Amino acid sequence: GDSVTQMEGPVTLSEEAFLTINCTYTATGYPSLFWYVQYPGEGLQLLLKATKADDKGSNKGFEATYRKETTSFHLEKGSVQVSDSAVYFCALTGGYNKLIFGAGTRLAVHP
Amino acid sequence: DTGVSQNPRHKITKRGQNVTFRCDPISEHNRLYWYRQTLGQGPEFLTYFQNEAQLEKSRLLSDRFSAERPKGSFSTLEIQRTEQGDSAMYLCASSPRSDAYGYTFGSGTRLTVV
């Protein structure tokens, strides 16, 4: 079945460092791809999305490009801040547009 | 509209008891989803409603679980004869007819079975 694999965390960075969180997927058909973020004590929030191959989703300085040839949707940010500390989930759409999530990657950014 | 509302926020119950959770989606959203999230894992799909019709149920949803969405408005998720393995965060999400990807998640109900 469809699935998402994310790099294991935690990822620990200093402020202003470059961030990459790897995400690869297995899917039949052509899913849409998402990154969600969960800040401590808060609910899931959509960070960005891409609905077809070669689309780039971007928001708040984060970017991810839908790469069909490598079945990947890696999350990047050029300069992280302490406020970016959270758990990041990669997801794809299955039947009825339900979301299939990866296990999540915890990011800790230190001043 | 204040988003997707879930009640209660926390529930502690003894093994073998029944529990019911409620989700109030955004009013114009016709799609409603339930997910379960255990510690250190991503949310897992449980069930999907389009208006009042339950169109898909995950294999994770054993016969002890039942969900309803009467009149296509709020939804309830009931767990009968709870087990310790049911301890998790139960998340509700809704999305509108006009944007199938426009999910809004609630803050969840954390269930602890002791």
Side-chain angles (χ1 to χ4, degrees):
Chain A
D2 296 353
S3 65
V4 174
T5 303
Q6 293 182 233
M7 63 187 288
E8 288 192 22
V11 174
T12 303
L13 295 173
S14 298
E15 206 164 24
E16 299 183 2
F18 185 86
L19 168 71
T20 300
I21 299 178
N22 290 338
C23 170
T24 57
Y25 68 90
T26 301
T28 54
Y30 304 97
S32 294
L33 301 174
F34 303 80
W35 278 99
Y36 277 82
V37 59
Q38 191 168 38
Y39 297 103
E42 298 185 17
L44 279 166
Q45 300 174 27
L46 176 64
L47 181 59
L48 54 84
K49 68 182 181 188
T51 57
K52 61 183 186 298
D54 300 324
D55 269 2
K56 178 186 281 188
S58 61
N59 186 27
K60 299 181 182 179
F62 290 90
E63 293 183 339
T65 300
Y66 189 149
R67 301 284 188 203
K68 185 168 176 289
E69 63 277 12
T70 54
T71 61
S72 65
F73 193 55
H74 304 321
L75 182 68
E76 296 182 335
K77 187 176 185 183
S79 176
V80 293
Q81 305 300 311
V82 172
S83 58
D84 294 325
S85 298
V87 182
Y88 292 82
F89 294 94
C90 185
L92 60 80
T93 46
Y96 290 117
N97 290 320
K98 65 177 178 283
L99 291 169
I100 297 168
F101 288 87
T105 302
R106 182 174 298 279
L107 170 66
V109 181
H110 298 289
Chain B
D1 201 335
T2 55
V4 177
S5 176
Q6 292 190 245
N7 288 287
R9 292 294 302 273
H10 303 275
K11 178 71 177 178
I12 300 175
T13 190
K14 292 183 178 179
R15 191 174 49 187
Q17 298 294 304
N18 299 343
V19 295
T20 300
F21 312 139
R22 177 177 170 125
C23 170
D24 287 274
I26 293 173
S27 57
E28 62 267 26
H29 285 189
N30 67 323
R31 296 180 174 89
L32 187 146
Y33 303 81
W34 284 97
Y35 292 84
R36 180 171 67 188
Q37 185 177 17
T38 53
L39 201 62
Q41 298 298 314
E44 297 172 296
F45 169 77
L46 293 179
T47 191
Y48 163 64
F49 289 87
Q50 185 166 304
N51 300 312
E52 67 276 9
Q54 187 175 21
L55 297 185
E56 187 174 355
K57 292 169 60 173
S58 163
R59 291 191 308 274
L60 294 174
L61 218 62
S62 75
D63 57 5
R64 297 184 298 106
F65 288 70
S66 62
E68 295 182 341
R69 192 184 182 195
K71 302 179 184 178
S73 56
F74 71 92
S75 177
T76 58
L77 178 67
E78 180 183 17
I79 308 174
Q80 296 183 326
R81 306 181 303 281
T82 52
E83 302 172 356
Q84 286 190 319
D86 297 331
S87 296
M89 177 74 85
Y90 289 84
L91 297 169
C92 177
S94 67
S95 67
R97 188 192 320 271
S98 59
D99 178 7
Y101 308 130
Y103 293 87
T104 300
F105 278 86
S107 296
T109 294
R110 181 168 296 284
L111 173 66
T112 303
V113 181
V114 297

